[in-house]
């Protein structure tokens, strides 16, 4: 359903239309729920790229797309890249809306949930990117 909606939106409204970007994010999130991490990552990457171009870095939809991508990157074990994404999302949100804003708090909760899941699942601290991720996460949540 989401795939057909995205294709129709691309045809009728164009790739860079805000509704198409919303459809792209919805499909990527649906792919996440199906465990199709590779497809979800690719689609989130495209959505982030287009959202930055169309809406700008500081737009809530762009930040949400970036946050979603960071979550997928964590699931795929791409810790360093996820840390950079989370850092950018939270820093931008703090700059635009402040650290007490509900959007900023939501992004911080997402990061903390990923950290909690990582710890709960007994992930290996010896993975090279883990210290980078933890350092970025701690810096982000303490600012």
């Amino acid at each position: 359903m989401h795939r057909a909606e995205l294709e129709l939106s691309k045809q009728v409204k164009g790739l860079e239309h805000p509704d198409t970007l919303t459809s792209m994010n919805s499909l990527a999130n649906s792919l996440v729920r199906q465990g199709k991490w590779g497809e979800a990552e690719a689609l989130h990457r495209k959505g982030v790229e287009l959202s930055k171009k169309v809406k700008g870095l500081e737009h809530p939809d762009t930040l949400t797309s970036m946050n979603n991508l960071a979550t997928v990157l964590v699931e795929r074990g791409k810790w360093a890249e996820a840390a950079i994404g989370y850092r950018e999302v939270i820093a931008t949100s703090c700059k635009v809306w402040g650290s007490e804003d509900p959007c900023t708090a939501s992004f911080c909760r997402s990061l903390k949930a990923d950290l909690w899941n990582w710890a709960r699942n007994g992930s290996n601290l010896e993975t090279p990117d883990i210290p980078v991720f933890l350092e970025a996460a701690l810096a982000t949540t303490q600012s």
Side-chain angles (χ1 to χ4, degrees):
M1 180 171 125
H2 290 293
R3 206 175 293 274
E5 179 184 319
L6 174 58
E7 290 308 313
L8 183 60
S9 187
K10 282 185 199 176
Q11 290 173 5
V12 174
K13 299 176 180 180
L15 184 61
E16 296 182 355
H17 191 278
D19 291 346
T20 303
L21 298 178
T22 298
S23 295
M24 192 175 293
N25 193 53
S26 294
L27 174 57
N29 288 335
S30 177
L31 291 167
V32 164
R33 287 187 294 277
Q34 296 171 40
K36 297 179 179 178
W37 301 106
E39 274 187 86
E41 179 184 344
L43 203 50
H44 274 310
R45 283 187 190 281
K46 185 67 175 171
V48 166
E49 173 191 330
L50 289 170
S51 192
K52 283 181 177 179
K53 178 181 174 186
V54 173
K55 299 177 180 182
L57 174 63
E58 297 179 349
H59 193 281
D61 292 346
T62 302
L63 294 173
T64 298
S65 293
M66 292 169 64
N67 188 75
N68 292 344
L69 174 59
T71 299
V72 169
L73 292 171
V74 166
E75 285 294 329
R76 301 205 69 207
K78 298 179 180 182
W79 297 96
E81 192 177 356
I84 292 166
Y86 273 126
R87 188 181 321 161
E88 185 176 14
V89 167
I90 293 170
T92 303
S93 188
C94 283
K95 177 183 139 198
V96 175
W97 299 296
S99 60
E100 301 300 318
D101 182 79
C103 286
T104 303
S106 175
F107 297 139
C108 288
R109 280 192 305 275
S110 179
L111 169 62
K112 288 175 184 178
D114 278 342
L115 284 170
W116 186 83
N117 285 330
W118 166 78
R120 182 186 62 154
N121 292 327
S123 295
N124 183 357
L125 266 176
E126 306 212 4
T127 302
D129 291 341
I130 295 291
V132 175
F133 180 75
L134 292 174
E135 180 181 327
L138 290 172
T140 299
T141 57
Q142 292 173 357
S143 55

